[in-house]
Amino acid sequence: MTIHRPIRRLGSITLFVALLGSHSLLLAHAQTLGADQPKLAGPLSVARAVQTGLRENLMLRAARADVAAAAAETRVAKSQTRPQVSANTYLSYGDFSNILNTAPSVAPTNYLNVPSQGFADQNVTLMAPLYTSGRLSNLVRAASLRERAVTQDVGGVQADTGLRIKEAYYRALLTGEVIKVAQSRVDADIELVRNAQALFTAGKGLEASVRRVEAERADADRALTTARNNQAKALLDLKAAMGVQLGSDITLADALTFAPPSGDLAKQLADAAQTRPELLASRSRVQAAEAQTRSVRGSQGPQVAGMAMADGFTSHPLGTREGYTVGIVISLPLLDGGQRRAETALARAHAERADAERRDLELRIANEVTQAWLDVGTAAENYRSAQTGLQSAQASYDVTALRVQNQKGILVEQLDALAAVVQARGSVAQALYDHALAVARLQRAVGRPE
């Protein structure tokens, strides 16, 4: 009696080909978005993936634009410490003398008493700060420290980008291992179907056994198709994290390996205190707030400026004249309704808030590093357990397969043993992924982008 195999295999192949066609079509449409990003091809290591992301990631470009803006703010603050010159032209006519001043936003400000009737004046005014009780110097220092903080924030974005790329890369490696496990299951099921059918044809087996292993084979095909789909999506996530075109034809050059970090928890905490970008930025913001407080406090002291003005005018009653004036202006605020005192209190409160945020951040970073270190240790133990489990499951399967081959065991036992091996292999791959990810998160907690 001949057993005809069902066409489930052909159906699964047809479905997989259709999925591949749909996937290619989706990629073709996706390439029209982000077409201005670079396109990669060939083998890609995790180190190169991180380097590419640190160069091409769009959020990093946005963070670097913030640095450029902060640098411009620093230049604005420094400009106030340098001489300023304005050219002013006055043209007036009236039946009464009056006082005119420069147009808004032009510095230094110039005031001129214009006579009645027609009047024309051209002057150049110079003003240079000589002494500001520390107001301007601390204003520049505060702006420079804020610029440094924004620059250090870029390090945090780099660390986040590096972690995101590593997560995507390791997930793509995991899906590759899952595909290998699923393929080994399919290969084993093919052999089981062949053996079951041979036994049934020889009159030594049951048709139910053939149907049972065919069902197992169909489920293995489904798992393999799903694994391939998951790998395609993981690769898309990796390309997006790097900031390259989704149509890039890349292959993963690395593999999931067990590589514990060096040092101990104390070293990781010490490194985080010295290298974590967010903490460095927070410290810079504390210093900037303190400098801002000193700048506001300096506005309460004497303000000394040197001035010079060259002037030429013509008018009907006064005729035409040219001249110049030089001098020093010393100003001291006497009564402002408590404005400067309130501004100083406001700046001091901001400084206290910045310091509290820094201390809270130090505590949170210590917590992150400690938890990440615990996760690394847990992942290492789970990997060792998964290795032991795989060895036991493989040994059990070998014995069971031999018993079934010698007709001392039943097919269901071999299927159960095969399922245990497949699960154990998946557990090892998952454990390697968990450990690699835990190490990457530890590096992020410490503040290392690579």
Side-chain angles (χ1 to χ4, degrees):
M1 179 177 182
T2 303
I3 300 295
H4 297 283
R5 297 184 183 181
I7 61 172
R8 292 194 193 96
R9 177 60 176 170
L10 179 59
S12 63
I13 294 176
T14 304
L15 176 61
F16 180 65
V17 172
L19 287 174
L20 282 179
S22 300
H23 175 66
S24 301
L25 182 61
L26 288 173
L27 279 181
H29 287 295
Q31 289 180 27
T32 62
L33 299 175
D36 54 342
Q37 293 301 106
K39 188 173 184 178
L40 301 183
L44 181 71
S45 66
V46 65
R48 184 186 169 207
V50 172
Q51 292 172 0
T52 302
L54 295 183
R55 185 177 61 251
E56 303 295 343
N57 185 271
L58 297 179
M59 293 308 298
L60 269 173
R61 294 187 184 182
R64 294 186 181 108
D66 289 339
V67 173
E73 291 180 358
T74 301
R75 293 194 297 272
V76 170
K78 289 180 177 179
S79 69
Q80 299 183 43
T81 66
R82 300 168 183 149
Q84 297 183 348
V85 180
S86 65
N88 307 283
T89 301
Y90 297 91
L91 300 173
S92 67
Y93 184 87
D95 59 0
F96 193 80
S97 63
N98 214 323
I99 297 176
L100 302 180
N101 65 288
T102 53
S105 76
V106 176
T109 303
N110 176 266
Y111 294 89
L112 186 67
N113 186 13
V114 299
S116 60
Q117 300 183 20
F119 179 78
D121 179 272
Q122 177 65 54
N123 68 55
V124 177
T125 303
L126 177 146
M127 176 179 287
L130 301 179
Y131 176 74
T132 62
S133 299
R135 177 177 63 86
L136 290 182
S137 60
N138 282 291
L139 186 67
V140 172
R141 175 169 172 75
S144 298
L145 287 168
R146 285 193 293 268
E147 178 186 352
R148 181 194 300 176
V150 174
T151 303
Q152 291 161 338
D153 283 336
V154 174
V157 180
Q158 288 177 331
D160 284 336
T161 301
L163 176 59
R164 180 185 172 194
I165 291 171
K166 289 178 181 178
E167 287 180 338
Y169 193 98
Y170 294 148
R171 188 166 61 253
L173 287 177
L174 175 61
T175 57
E177 293 299 317
V178 172
I179 288 176
K180 293 178 183 178
V181 172
Q183 185 63 59
S184 68
R185 178 187 174 189
V186 170
D187 295 340
D189 286 342
I190 290 175
E191 186 64 24
L192 285 175
V193 169
R194 183 181 299 112
N195 292 337
Q197 186 171 356
L199 289 173
F200 179 72
T201 302
K204 298 180 180 180
L206 300 176
E207 182 180 1
S209 297
V210 177
R211 300 304 181 190
R212 176 65 180 83
V213 293
E214 286 179 343
E216 166 66 18
R217 167 70 187 284
D219 188 68
D221 288 339
R222 179 200 58 77
L224 180 59
T225 301
T226 301
R228 286 171 174 162
N229 178 63
N230 290 338
Q231 185 186 48
K233 292 192 292 185
L235 289 173
L236 287 174
D237 289 340
L238 174 60
K239 297 169 190 176
M242 287 190 295
V244 301
Q245 292 187 26
L246 298 183
S248 298
D249 185 15
I250 61 174
T251 57
L252 304 184
D254 290 339
L256 289 173
T257 57
F258 183 69
S262 60
D264 54 12
L265 176 58
K267 182 181 183 302
Q268 303 297 334
L269 290 171
D271 289 347
Q274 297 297 322
T275 63
R276 179 75 180 250
E278 294 90 343
L279 184 55
L280 299 179
S282 180
R283 290 169 181 165
S284 295
R285 288 190 172 91
V286 170
Q287 295 174 349
E290 293 172 347
Q292 187 71 34
T293 302
R294 292 191 295 271
S295 175
V296 175
R297 190 182 296 118
S299 67
Q300 302 176 13
Q303 309 293 309
V304 181
M307 297 191 66
M309 184 174 68
D311 201 347
F313 69 86
T314 180
S315 70
H316 179 68
L318 300 178
T320 301
R321 289 189 59 186
E322 298 88 17
Y324 71 91
T325 303
V326 295
I328 294 177
V329 178
I330 303 174
S331 302
L332 178 65
L334 298 179
L335 184 64
D336 60 6
Q339 175 183 343
R340 287 175 175 79
R341 186 180 298 109
E343 289 175 346
T344 302
L346 176 62
R348 188 182 301 113
H350 287 164
E352 292 175 355
R353 176 184 178 84
D355 186 62
E357 290 176 344
R358 174 192 60 80
R359 289 186 282 117
D360 177 71
L361 182 60
E362 287 179 346
L363 185 61
R364 287 190 285 114
I365 288 175
N367 181 43
E368 288 179 16
V369 173
T370 303
Q371 291 199 19
W373 182 260
L374 292 174
D375 288 342
V376 169
T378 300
E381 290 297 325
N382 288 341
Y383 170 70
R384 298 185 187 97
S385 299
Q387 284 282 73
T388 302
L390 176 58
Q391 293 172 1
S392 299
Q394 186 64 55
S396 176
Y397 176 80
D398 293 341
V399 172
T400 303
L402 184 60
R403 291 181 70 250
V404 172
Q405 183 178 358
N406 294 326
Q407 298 184 357
K408 294 182 179 180
I410 59 176
L411 181 61
V412 174
E413 292 178 350
Q414 186 173 0
L415 290 176
D416 290 340
L418 176 61
V421 171
V422 170
Q423 182 178 0
R425 289 175 179 170
S427 296
V428 170
Q430 184 68 45
L432 283 172
Y433 167 77
D434 291 342
H435 186 266
L437 188 57
V439 172
R441 287 174 176 170
L442 175 62
Q443 292 173 339
R444 171 62 185 98
V446 173
R448 305 188 190 100
E450 301 181 11

